Coordinates of all heavy atoms in Angstrom, one line a residue:
M217 N 93.9 94.8 62.4 CA 93.8 96.3 62.7 C 94.9 97.1 62.1 O 95.7 97.6 62.9 CB 93.6 96.4 64.1 CG 92.5 97.3 64.6 SD 92.3 97.1 66.3 CE 92.0 95.3 66.4
P218 N 95.0 97.2 60.8 CA 96.3 97.8 60.4 C 96.5 99.2 60.8 O 97.6 99.6 61.2 CB 96.1 97.8 58.8 CG 94.8 97.2 58.6 CD 94.1 96.8 59.9
C219 N 95.4 100.0 60.9 CA 95.6 101.4 61.2 C 96.1 101.6 62.7 O 97.1 102.3 62.8 CB 94.3 102.2 61.2 SG 93.9 102.7 59.6
S220 N 95.4 100.9 63.6 CA 95.8 101.1 65.0 C 97.2 100.4 65.3 O 97.9 100.9 66.1 CB 94.8 100.6 66.0 OG 93.9 99.7 65.4
S221 N 97.5 99.3 64.6 CA 98.8 98.8 64.9 C 100.0 99.7 64.4 O 101.1 99.6 65.0 CB 99.0 97.3 64.4 OG 98.0 97.0 63.5
A222 N 99.8 100.4 63.4 CA 100.7 101.4 62.9 C 101.0 102.4 64.0 O 102.1 102.9 64.1 CB 100.3 102.0 61.6
L223 N 100.0 102.7 64.7 CA 100.1 103.7 65.8 C 100.8 103.2 67.1 O 101.3 103.9 67.9 CB 98.8 104.3 66.2 CG 98.3 105.5 65.4 CD1 96.8 105.7 65.8 CD2 99.2 106.7 65.7
A224 N 100.9 101.9 67.2 CA 101.2 101.2 68.4 C 102.6 101.7 69.0 O 102.7 102.1 70.1 CB 101.2 99.7 68.3
P225 N 103.6 101.8 68.2 CA 104.9 102.2 68.7 C 104.9 103.6 69.3 O 105.4 103.9 70.3 CB 105.9 102.1 67.5 CG 105.2 101.3 66.4 CD 103.7 101.5 66.8
F226 N 104.1 104.4 68.6 CA 104.0 105.8 69.1 C 103.3 105.9 70.5 O 103.7 106.6 71.4 CB 103.2 106.7 68.1 CG 103.0 108.0 68.6 CD1 104.1 109.0 68.7 CD2 101.8 108.5 69.0 CE1 103.9 110.2 69.1 CE2 101.6 109.7 69.5 CZ 102.6 110.6 69.6
V227 N 102.2 105.1 70.6 CA 101.4 105.1 71.8 C 102.2 104.6 72.9 O 102.2 105.1 74.0 CB 100.1 104.2 71.6 CG1 99.5 103.9 72.9 CG2 99.2 104.9 70.6
I228 N 103.0 103.4 72.7 CA 103.8 102.9 73.7 C 104.9 103.9 74.2 O 105.1 104.2 75.4 CB 104.5 101.6 73.2 CG1 103.5 100.6 72.7 CG2 105.4 101.0 74.4 CD1 102.4 100.1 73.7
A229 N 105.5 104.6 73.2 CA 106.5 105.6 73.5 C 105.8 106.7 74.3 O 106.4 107.2 75.3 CB 107.1 106.2 72.2
A230 N 104.6 107.1 74.0 CA 103.9 108.2 74.7 C 103.7 107.8 76.1 O 103.8 108.5 77.1 CB 102.6 108.6 74.0
L231 N 103.2 106.5 76.3 CA 103.0 106.0 77.6 C 104.3 106.0 78.4 O 104.2 106.4 79.6 CB 102.4 104.7 77.6 CG 100.9 104.6 77.4 CD1 100.4 103.2 77.1 CD2 100.2 105.2 78.5
V232 N 105.4 105.6 77.8 CA 106.6 105.6 78.6 C 107.1 107.0 78.9 O 107.5 107.3 80.0 CB 107.7 104.9 77.7 CG1 109.1 105.0 78.3 CG2 107.3 103.4 77.5
A233 N 106.9 107.9 77.9 CA 107.3 109.3 78.2 C 106.5 109.9 79.3 O 107.0 110.7 80.0 CB 107.0 110.1 76.9
L234 N 105.2 109.5 79.5 CA 104.4 110.1 80.6 C 105.0 109.7 81.9 O 104.8 110.3 82.9 CB 103.0 109.6 80.5 CG 102.2 110.2 79.3 CD1 100.8 109.6 79.2 CD2 102.1 111.7 79.5
G235 N 105.6 108.5 81.9 CA 106.3 108.1 83.1 C 105.4 107.6 84.2 O 104.2 107.6 84.1
P236 N 106.0 107.2 85.3 CA 105.2 106.7 86.5 C 104.4 107.8 87.1 O 104.8 109.0 87.0 CB 106.2 106.1 87.4 CG 107.5 106.8 87.1 CD 107.4 107.2 85.6
L237 N 103.3 107.4 87.7 CA 102.5 108.4 88.4 C 103.2 108.9 89.6 O 104.0 108.2 90.2 CB 101.2 107.7 88.8 CG 100.2 107.6 87.7 CD1 99.0 106.7 88.1 CD2 99.7 108.9 87.1
P238 N 102.8 110.1 90.1 CA 103.4 110.6 91.3 C 103.0 109.6 92.5 O 102.0 108.9 92.3 CB 102.6 111.9 91.6 CG 101.9 112.2 90.4 CD 102.0 111.0 89.4
A239 N 103.9 109.5 93.4 CA 103.8 108.5 94.5 C 102.3 108.4 95.1 O 101.8 107.4 95.3 CB 104.8 108.7 95.6
G240 N 101.8 109.6 95.3 CA 100.4 109.7 95.9 C 99.4 108.9 95.2 O 98.5 108.3 95.8
A241 N 99.5 108.8 94.0 CA 98.5 108.1 93.1 C 98.5 106.6 93.4 O 97.5 106.0 93.1 CB 98.8 108.3 91.6
Q242 N 99.5 106.0 93.9 CA 99.6 104.6 94.2 C 98.7 104.3 95.5 O 98.4 103.2 95.7 CB 101.0 104.1 94.4 CG 102.0 104.6 93.3 CD 101.6 104.0 92.0 OE1 101.0 103.0 91.9 NE2 102.0 104.7 90.9
N243 N 98.4 105.3 96.3 CA 97.8 105.0 97.5 C 96.3 105.5 97.6 O 96.0 106.2 98.5 CB 98.6 105.7 98.7 CG 100.0 105.2 98.7 OD1 100.3 104.1 98.4 ND2 100.9 106.2 99.0
N244 N 95.6 105.3 96.5 CA 94.2 105.6 96.6 C 94.0 107.1 96.7 O 92.9 107.5 97.1 CB 93.5 104.9 97.7 CG 93.0 103.5 97.2 OD1 92.9 103.3 96.0 ND2 92.6 102.7 98.1
V245 N 95.0 107.9 96.5 CA 94.8 109.3 96.5 C 94.6 109.7 95.0 O 95.3 109.2 94.2 CB 96.0 110.1 97.0 CG1 95.8 111.6 96.9 CG2 96.3 109.7 98.4
A246 N 93.6 110.5 94.7 CA 93.3 110.8 93.3 C 94.5 111.4 92.7 O 95.1 112.4 93.2 CB 92.1 111.7 93.2
P247 N 94.9 111.0 91.5 CA 96.1 111.6 90.8 C 95.7 113.1 90.4 O 94.5 113.4 90.2 CB 96.3 110.8 89.6 CG 95.2 109.9 89.4 CD 94.4 109.9 90.8
P248 N 96.7 113.9 90.3 CA 96.4 115.3 89.9 C 95.8 115.3 88.5 O 96.1 114.5 87.7 CB 97.8 115.9 89.8 CG 98.8 114.8 89.9 CD 98.1 113.6 90.5
P249 N 94.8 116.2 88.3 CA 94.0 116.3 87.1 C 95.0 116.3 85.8 O 94.6 115.8 84.8 CB 93.2 117.5 87.2 CG 93.1 117.8 88.6 CD 94.3 117.2 89.3
A250 N 96.1 117.0 85.9 CA 97.0 117.2 84.8 C 97.5 115.8 84.3 O 97.5 115.6 83.1 CB 98.2 118.0 85.2
A251 N 97.8 115.0 85.2 CA 98.3 113.7 84.8 C 97.2 112.9 84.0 O 97.5 112.2 83.0 CB 98.7 112.8 86.0
I252 N 95.9 113.0 84.5 CA 94.9 112.3 83.9 C 94.5 112.9 82.5 O 94.2 112.2 81.6 CB 93.6 112.3 84.7 CG1 93.8 111.2 85.8 CG2 92.3 112.1 84.0 CD1 94.0 109.8 85.3
S253 N 94.6 114.2 82.4 CA 94.2 114.8 81.1 C 95.2 114.5 80.0 O 94.9 114.4 78.9 CB 93.9 116.3 81.2 OG 95.1 117.0 81.6
Q254 N 96.5 114.3 80.5 CA 97.5 113.9 79.5 C 97.2 112.5 79.0 O 97.3 112.2 77.9 CB 98.9 113.8 80.2 CG 99.7 115.1 80.1 CD 101.1 114.8 80.6 OE1 101.3 114.3 81.7 NE2 102.1 115.3 79.9
R255 N 96.8 111.6 80.0 CA 96.4 110.3 79.5 C 95.2 110.3 78.7 O 95.1 109.6 77.7 CB 96.2 109.4 80.7 CG 97.5 108.9 81.4 CD 97.3 108.1 82.6 NE 98.5 107.4 83.0 CZ 99.6 108.0 83.5 NH1 99.7 109.3 83.6 NH2 100.7 107.3 83.8
A256 N 94.2 111.2 79.0 CA 93.0 111.2 78.2 C 93.3 111.7 76.8 O 92.6 111.2 75.9 CB 92.0 112.1 78.9
K257 N 94.3 112.6 76.6 CA 94.7 113.0 75.3 C 95.1 111.8 74.4 O 94.8 111.7 73.2 CB 95.8 114.0 75.4 CG 95.3 115.4 75.8 CD 96.3 116.5 75.3 CE 95.9 117.8 75.9 NZ 96.5 118.1 77.1
L258 N 95.8 110.9 75.1 CA 96.3 109.7 74.4 C 95.1 108.9 73.9 O 95.1 108.4 72.8 CB 97.2 108.9 75.3 CG 97.7 107.6 74.8 CD1 98.9 107.8 73.9 CD2 98.2 106.7 76.0
C259 N 94.1 108.7 74.8 CA 93.0 107.9 74.4 C 92.2 108.6 73.3 O 91.7 107.9 72.4 CB 91.9 107.8 75.6 SG 92.8 107.5 77.2
Q260 N 92.2 110.0 73.3 CA 91.5 110.7 72.2 C 92.1 110.5 70.9 O 91.5 110.7 69.9 CB 91.4 112.2 72.6 CG 90.5 112.4 73.8 CD 90.7 113.8 74.4 OE1 91.6 114.6 74.0 NE2 89.9 114.2 75.3
M261 N 93.4 110.2 70.9 CA 94.1 110.0 69.6 C 93.4 108.9 68.8 O 93.3 109.0 67.5 CB 95.5 109.5 69.8 CG 96.5 110.6 70.1 SD 98.2 110.1 70.4 CE 98.1 108.4 69.8
C262 N 92.8 107.9 69.4 CA 92.2 106.9 68.7 C 90.6 107.0 68.9 O 89.9 106.8 67.9 CB 92.6 105.5 69.2 SG 94.3 105.1 68.8
H263 N 90.2 107.2 70.1 CA 88.8 107.2 70.4 C 88.1 108.5 70.0 O 86.9 108.6 70.2 CB 88.6 106.9 71.8 CG 88.9 105.4 72.2 ND1 88.1 104.4 71.8 CD2 90.0 104.9 72.8 CE1 88.7 103.2 72.3 NE2 89.8 103.5 72.8
G264 N 88.8 109.5 69.7 CA 88.2 110.8 69.3 C 87.9 111.7 70.6 O 87.9 111.1 71.7
R265 N 87.8 112.9 70.3 CA 87.6 113.8 71.4 C 86.3 113.8 72.0 O 86.0 113.5 73.2 CB 87.9 115.3 70.9 CG 88.7 116.0 72.0 CD 89.0 117.4 71.5 NE 88.7 118.4 72.6 CZ 89.4 118.4 73.7 NH1 90.4 117.5 73.9 NH2 89.1 119.3 74.7
K266 N 85.3 114.1 71.2 CA 83.9 114.0 71.7 C 83.0 113.3 70.7 O 82.4 114.0 69.9 CB 83.3 115.4 71.9 CG 84.0 116.2 73.0 CD 83.1 117.1 73.8 CE 83.7 117.3 75.1 NZ 83.9 118.7 75.5
G267 N 83.0 112.0 70.8 CA 82.1 111.4 69.9 C 82.8 110.4 68.9 O 83.1 109.3 69.3
L268 N 83.1 110.9 67.7 CA 83.6 110.0 66.7 C 85.1 109.6 66.8 O 85.9 110.5 66.9 CB 83.4 110.6 65.3 CG 81.9 110.6 64.9 CD1 81.8 111.1 63.5 CD2 81.3 109.2 64.9
P269 N 85.3 108.3 66.8 CA 86.7 107.9 66.9 C 87.5 108.4 65.7 O 86.9 108.5 64.6 CB 86.6 106.3 66.8 CG 85.2 106.0 67.3 CD 84.4 107.2 66.9
T270 N 88.8 108.6 65.8 CA 89.5 109.1 64.7 C 90.3 108.0 64.0 O 90.8 108.1 62.9 CB 90.7 110.1 65.3 OG1 91.3 109.5 66.4 CG2 90.0 111.4 65.7
V271 N 90.4 106.8 64.6 CA 91.1 105.7 64.0 C 90.1 104.7 63.7 O 89.2 104.3 64.5 CB 92.2 105.2 65.0 CG1 92.8 103.9 64.4 CG2 93.2 106.2 65.2
K272 N 90.2 104.1 62.5 CA 89.3 103.1 62.0 C 89.2 101.9 63.0 O 90.2 101.6 63.5 CB 89.7 102.6 60.6 CG 88.7 102.5 59.6 CD 89.3 102.0 58.2 CE 89.3 100.5 58.1 NZ 90.1 100.0 57.0
N273 N 88.1 101.3 63.1 CA 87.9 100.1 63.9 C 88.0 100.4 65.4 O 88.1 99.5 66.2 CB 88.9 99.0 63.6 CG 88.7 98.5 62.2 OD1 87.6 98.5 61.6 ND2 89.8 98.1 61.6
T274 N 87.9 101.7 65.8 CA 88.0 102.0 67.2 C 86.6 102.2 67.7 O 85.8 103.0 67.1 CB 88.9 103.2 67.4 OG1 90.1 103.0 66.8 CG2 89.0 103.5 68.9
P275 N 86.2 101.6 68.8 CA 84.8 101.8 69.2 C 84.6 103.2 69.9 O 85.5 103.8 70.3 CB 84.7 100.7 70.3 CG 86.0 100.3 70.7 CD 86.9 100.6 69.6
I276 N 83.4 103.6 69.7 CA 83.0 104.9 70.4 C 82.9 104.7 71.9 O 82.2 103.8 72.3 CB 81.6 105.4 69.9 CG1 81.7 105.6 68.4 CG2 81.2 106.6 70.6 CD1 80.4 105.9 67.7
I277 N 83.7 105.5 72.7 CA 83.5 105.3 74.1 C 82.8 106.5 74.7 O 82.5 106.4 75.9 CB 84.9 105.0 74.8 CG1 85.9 106.0 74.5 CG2 85.5 103.6 74.4 CD1 87.2 105.9 75.3
A278 N 82.7 107.6 74.0 CA 82.0 108.8 74.6 C 80.6 108.3 74.8 O 80.0 107.7 74.0 CB 82.1 109.9 73.6
G279 N 80.0 108.8 75.9 CA 78.6 108.5 76.3 C 78.4 107.2 76.9 O 77.3 106.9 77.3
Q280 N 79.4 106.3 76.9 CA 79.2 105.0 77.6 C 79.2 105.3 79.1 O 79.8 106.2 79.6 CB 80.3 104.1 77.3 CG 80.1 103.5 75.9 CD 81.0 102.2 75.7 OE1 81.1 101.5 76.7 NE2 81.5 102.1 74.5
H281 N 78.5 104.4 79.8 CA 78.4 104.5 81.2 C 79.8 104.3 81.9 O 80.5 103.5 81.5 CB 77.4 103.4 81.8 CG 76.9 103.8 83.2 ND1 77.6 103.5 84.3 CD2 75.8 104.4 83.5 CE1 76.9 103.9 85.3 NE2 75.8 104.5 84.9
E282 N 80.0 105.1 82.9 CA 81.3 105.1 83.6 C 81.7 103.7 84.0 O 82.9 103.2 83.9 CB 81.2 106.0 84.8 CG 82.5 106.3 85.5 CD 82.3 107.2 86.7 OE1 81.4 108.2 86.6 OE2 82.9 107.1 87.7
S283 N 80.8 103.0 84.6 CA 81.1 101.6 85.1 C 81.4 100.6 84.0 O 82.3 99.8 84.1 CB 80.1 101.1 86.1 OG 78.8 101.1 85.4
S284 N 80.8 100.8 82.8 CA 81.1 99.9 81.8 C 82.5 100.2 81.2 O 83.2 99.2 80.9 CB 80.1 99.9 80.6 OG 79.1 100.8 80.8
L285 N 82.9 101.4 81.2 CA 84.2 101.7 80.7 C 85.3 101.2 81.7 O 86.3 100.6 81.2 CB 84.4 103.3 80.6 CG 83.6 103.9 79.4 CD1 83.7 105.4 79.5 CD2 83.9 103.4 78.1
L286 N 85.0 101.3 82.9 CA 85.9 100.9 84.0 C 86.1 99.3 83.9 O 87.2 98.8 83.8 CB 85.4 101.2 85.4 CG 86.3 100.9 86.5 CD1 87.7 101.4 86.4 CD2 85.8 101.2 87.8
I287 N 85.0 98.7 83.7 CA 85.0 97.2 83.5 C 85.8 96.8 82.3 O 86.6 95.9 82.4 CB 83.6 96.6 83.5 CG1 82.9 96.7 84.9 CG2 83.6 95.2 83.1 CD1 81.5 96.4 84.9
A288 N 85.6 97.5 81.2 CA 86.3 97.2 80.0 C 87.8 97.3 80.2 O 88.6 96.4 79.8 CB 85.8 98.1 78.8
L289 N 88.2 98.4 80.9 CA 89.6 98.6 81.1 C 90.2 97.6 82.0 O 91.3 97.0 81.8 CB 89.9 100.0 81.6 CG 89.6 101.2 80.7 CD1 89.7 102.5 81.4 CD2 90.6 101.1 79.5
Q290 N 89.4 97.2 83.0 CA 89.9 96.1 83.9 C 90.0 94.8 83.2 O 91.0 94.1 83.4 CB 89.0 96.0 85.1 CG 89.2 97.2 86.1 CD 88.0 97.3 87.1 OE1 86.9 96.8 86.9 NE2 88.2 98.0 88.2
E291 N 89.1 94.5 82.3 CA 89.2 93.3 81.6 C 90.3 93.2 80.6 O 90.9 92.2 80.5 CB 87.8 93.1 80.8 CG 86.7 92.7 81.7 CD 85.4 92.6 81.0 OE1 85.3 93.0 79.8 OE2 84.5 92.1 81.6
Y292 N 90.7 94.4 80.0 CA 91.8 94.4 79.2 C 93.0 94.1 80.0 O 94.0 93.4 79.6 CB 92.0 95.8 78.5 CG 91.1 96.0 77.3 CD1 90.3 97.1 77.3 CD2 91.2 95.2 76.2 CE1 89.4 97.3 76.2 CE2 90.4 95.4 75.1 CZ 89.5 96.4 75.1 OH 88.7 96.6 74.0
R293 N 93.1 94.7 81.2 CA 94.3 94.5 82.0 C 94.4 93.1 82.5 O 95.5 92.5 82.6 CB 94.3 95.5 83.2 CG 95.6 95.5 84.0 CD 95.6 96.5 85.1 NE 94.4 96.2 86.0 CZ 94.2 97.0 87.1 NH1 94.9 98.0 87.4 NH2 93.1 96.7 87.8
N294 N 93.3 92.5 83.0 CA 93.4 91.2 83.6 C 93.3 90.1 82.6 O 93.4 88.9 82.8 CB 92.4 91.0 84.7 CG 90.9 90.9 84.2 OD1 90.7 90.5 83.1 ND2 90.0 91.2 85.1
G295 N 93.2 90.5 81.3 CA 93.2 89.4 80.2 C 91.9 88.8 79.8 O 91.8 88.0 78.9
A296 N 90.8 89.3 80.5 CA 89.5 88.7 80.1 C 89.1 89.2 78.7 O 88.4 88.6 77.9 CB 88.5 89.2 81.1
R297 N 89.6 90.4 78.3 CA 89.5 90.9 77.0 C 90.9 90.9 76.4 O 91.8 91.4 77.1 CB 89.0 92.4 76.9 CG 87.6 92.5 77.1 CD 87.2 93.9 76.7 NE 85.9 94.3 77.1 CZ 85.2 95.2 76.4 NH1 85.7 95.8 75.3 NH2 84.0 95.4 76.8
T298 N 91.1 90.5 75.2 CA 92.4 90.6 74.6 C 92.3 91.5 73.4 O 91.5 91.4 72.5 CB 92.9 89.2 74.2 OG1 91.9 88.6 73.5 CG2 93.3 88.4 75.4
D299 N 93.2 92.5 73.4 CA 93.4 93.3 72.3 C 94.8 93.8 72.5 O 95.2 94.3 73.5 CB 92.5 94.6 72.2 CG 92.7 95.4 71.0 OD1 92.5 94.9 69.9 OD2 93.2 96.6 71.2
D300 N 95.6 93.6 71.4 CA 97.1 93.8 71.5 C 97.3 95.3 72.0 O 98.1 95.5 73.0 CB 97.7 93.7 70.1 CG 99.2 93.6 70.2 OD1 99.7 93.0 71.2 OD2 99.9 94.1 69.3
L301 N 96.6 96.2 71.5 CA 96.9 97.6 71.7 C 96.3 98.0 73.1 O 97.0 98.5 74.0 CB 96.2 98.4 70.7 CG 96.9 99.7 70.3 CD1 98.3 99.4 70.0 CD2 96.2 100.1 68.9
M302 N 94.9 97.8 73.3 CA 94.3 98.2 74.5 C 94.8 97.4 75.7 O 94.9 98.0 76.8 CB 92.8 98.1 74.4 CG 92.1 99.2 73.6 SD 92.5 100.9 74.2 CE 92.0 100.7 75.9
G303 N 95.2 96.2 75.5 CA 95.8 95.3 76.6 C 97.1 96.0 77.1 O 97.2 96.2 78.3
R304 N 97.9 96.5 76.2 CA 99.2 97.1 76.6 C 98.9 98.4 77.2 O 99.6 98.8 78.2 CB 100.1 97.3 75.4 CG 100.9 96.0 75.1 CD 102.0 96.2 74.1 NE 101.4 96.1 72.8 CZ 102.1 96.4 71.6 NH1 103.3 96.8 71.7 NH2 101.5 96.2 70.5
I305 N 97.9 99.2 76.7 CA 97.6 100.5 77.3 C 97.1 100.2 78.7 O 97.5 100.9 79.7 CB 96.5 101.2 76.5 CG1 97.3 101.7 75.2 CG2 95.9 102.4 77.2 CD1 96.3 102.2 74.1
A306 N 96.2 99.3 78.9 CA 95.5 99.1 80.2 C 96.5 98.6 81.2 O 96.4 98.9 82.4 CB 94.4 98.1 80.1
K307 N 97.6 97.9 80.8 CA 98.5 97.4 81.8 C 99.4 98.6 82.4 O 99.9 98.4 83.4 CB 99.5 96.4 81.1 CG 98.9 95.0 81.0 CD 99.9 94.0 80.6 CE 99.2 92.7 80.5 NZ 98.6 92.5 79.2
N308 N 99.3 99.7 81.6 CA 100.1 100.8 82.2 C 99.2 101.8 83.0 O 99.6 102.8 83.5 CB 100.6 101.7 81.0 CG 101.9 101.1 80.6 OD1 102.9 101.0 81.3 ND2 102.0 100.6 79.3
L309 N 98.0 101.4 83.2 CA 97.0 102.3 84.0 C 96.9 101.7 85.4 O 96.7 100.5 85.6 CB 95.7 102.4 83.3 CG 95.7 103.0 81.9 CD1 94.3 102.8 81.3 CD2 96.0 104.4 82.0
S310 N 96.8 102.6 86.4 CA 96.5 102.2 87.7 C 95.0 102.1 87.9 O 94.3 102.6 87.1 CB 97.1 103.1 88.7 OG 96.5 104.3 88.6
E311 N 94.5 101.5 88.9 CA 93.1 101.5 89.3 C 92.5 102.9 89.3 O 91.5 103.1 88.7 CB 93.0 100.8 90.6 CG 91.5 100.4 91.0 CD 91.1 99.3 90.1 OE1 91.9 98.5 89.6 OE2 89.8 99.1 90.0
D312 N 93.3 103.8 89.9 CA 92.8 105.2 90.0 C 92.8 105.9 88.6 O 91.8 106.6 88.3 CB 93.7 106.0 90.9 CG 93.5 105.6 92.4 OD1 92.4 105.2 92.7 OD2 94.5 105.6 93.1
D313 N 93.8 105.6 87.8 CA 93.8 106.1 86.4 C 92.5 105.7 85.7 O 91.9 106.5 85.1 CB 94.9 105.5 85.6 CG 96.2 106.2 85.9 OD1 96.2 107.3 86.5 OD2 97.2 105.6 85.4
M314 N 92.2 104.4 85.9 CA 91.1 103.9 85.1 C 89.8 104.5 85.6 O 88.9 104.9 84.8 CB 90.9 102.3 85.4 CG 92.1 101.6 84.7 SD 91.9 99.8 84.8 CE 93.3 99.3 84.0
K315 N 89.7 104.7 86.9 CA 88.4 105.3 87.4 C 88.3 106.8 87.0 O 87.3 107.2 86.5 CB 88.5 105.3 89.0 CG 88.2 103.9 89.5 CD 88.1 103.9 91.0 CE 87.9 102.5 91.6 NZ 88.5 102.3 92.8
A316 N 89.4 107.5 87.0 CA 89.4 108.8 86.5 C 89.1 109.0 85.0 O 88.3 109.8 84.6 CB 90.7 109.6 86.9
L317 N 89.7 108.1 84.3 CA 89.5 108.2 82.8 C 88.0 107.8 82.5 O 87.4 108.4 81.6 CB 90.4 107.2 82.1 CG 91.9 107.7 82.0 CD1 92.8 106.6 81.6 CD2 92.0 108.9 81.1
A318 N 87.5 106.8 83.1 CA 86.2 106.4 82.9 C 85.2 107.5 83.2 O 84.2 107.8 82.5 CB 85.8 105.1 83.7
A319 N 85.4 108.2 84.3 CA 84.6 109.3 84.7 C 84.7 110.4 83.7 O 83.7 111.0 83.3 CB 85.0 109.8 86.1
Ligands
HEC21 C1 96.1 103.4 69.4 C2 94.7 103.5 69.5 C3 94.0 103.5 70.8 C4 94.4 104.2 72.0 C5 95.4 105.3 72.1 C6 93.4 103.9 73.0 N1 92.5 103.0 72.5 FE1 90.9 102.2 73.6 N2 90.5 100.9 72.0 C7 91.2 100.9 70.7 C8 90.7 99.9 69.9 C9 91.1 99.5 68.5 C10 89.7 99.2 70.7 C11 88.8 98.0 70.3 C12 89.6 96.8 70.8 C13 88.8 95.5 70.7 O1 88.4 95.2 69.7 O2 88.7 94.9 71.8 C14 89.6 99.9 72.0 C15 88.7 99.6 73.0 C16 88.5 100.4 74.1 C17 87.5 100.1 75.1 C18 86.3 99.2 75.0 C19 85.2 99.8 74.3 C20 84.0 98.9 74.1 O3 82.9 99.5 73.9 O4 84.1 97.7 74.2 C21 87.7 101.1 76.1 C22 86.8 101.3 77.3 C23 88.9 101.9 75.7 N3 89.3 101.4 74.5 C24 89.3 102.9 76.5 C25 90.5 103.6 76.2 C26 91.2 104.5 77.2 C27 90.6 104.9 78.4 C28 92.3 104.9 76.5 C29 93.4 105.8 77.1 C30 94.0 105.3 78.3 C31 92.4 104.3 75.2 N4 91.3 103.4 75.0 C32 93.4 104.5 74.3 C33 92.2 101.8 70.4 C34 92.8 102.7 71.2

């Protein structure tokens, strides 16, 4: 996946720059919408804003069912799915992040 791996350092840097979630988010309290929309912008870099992915070889996630997206993210995190890029991204997401992003 030459295109997306070229982006990887930037994506990792962006995730680090976003920093840890506010403490409340760790306790099943929905994170503030601002934090989620920042993360969603990151996803849109590759998956596209509404529909077509912007990076080659990136699957379309718009329009997919909320629960399938959540399962996909959980699988990346627990290793049932392996992708160098999405695996690293999913490891940085909390359960609540994943639910909010999927929604
Ligand atoms: C650097 C580019 C990039 C970014 C940023 C990115 N993704 Fe992905 N994503 C991919 C690629 C490439 C795949 C396909 C990986 C594979 O083959 O398993 C993928 C796969 C997925 C899938 C599985 C889709 C399916 O139909 O199987 C989901 C869900 C997903 N990404 C969600 C997200 C979310 C949510 C974010 C933001 C937190 C995000 N992605 C950020 C590149 C990216």
Side-chain angles (χ1 to χ4, degrees):
M217 223 166 305
C219 276
S220 21
S221 14
L223 269 172
F226 176 73
V227 170
I228 305 301
L231 278 171
V232 170
L234 290 176
L237 284 172
Q242 312 295 334
N243 302 322
N244 273 343
V245 176
I252 281 304
S253 65
Q254 267 188 315
R255 280 174 167 71
K257 281 200 188 96
L258 177 74
C259 318
Q260 289 167 356
M261 279 180 12
C262 295
H263 290 283
R265 216 181 137 65
K266 292 220 158 118
L268 286 182
T270 48
V271 174
K272 225 178 91 190
N273 297 331
T274 306
I276 298 173
I277 55 173
Q280 283 197 36
H281 201 277
E282 186 178 328
S283 57
S284 2
L285 293 176
L286 181 60
I287 289 170
L289 289 172
Q290 287 167 340
E291 285 175 351
Y292 282 121
R293 189 179 53 181
N294 70 25
R297 278 196 194 208
T298 48
D299 181 67
D300 194 35
L301 216 48
M302 282 306 304
R304 274 187 279 175
I305 290 172
K307 282 195 182 73
N308 277 301
L309 296 171
S310 70
E311 193 71 20
D312 289 329
D313 279 349
M314 292 189 181
K315 284 183 186 150
L317 285 166

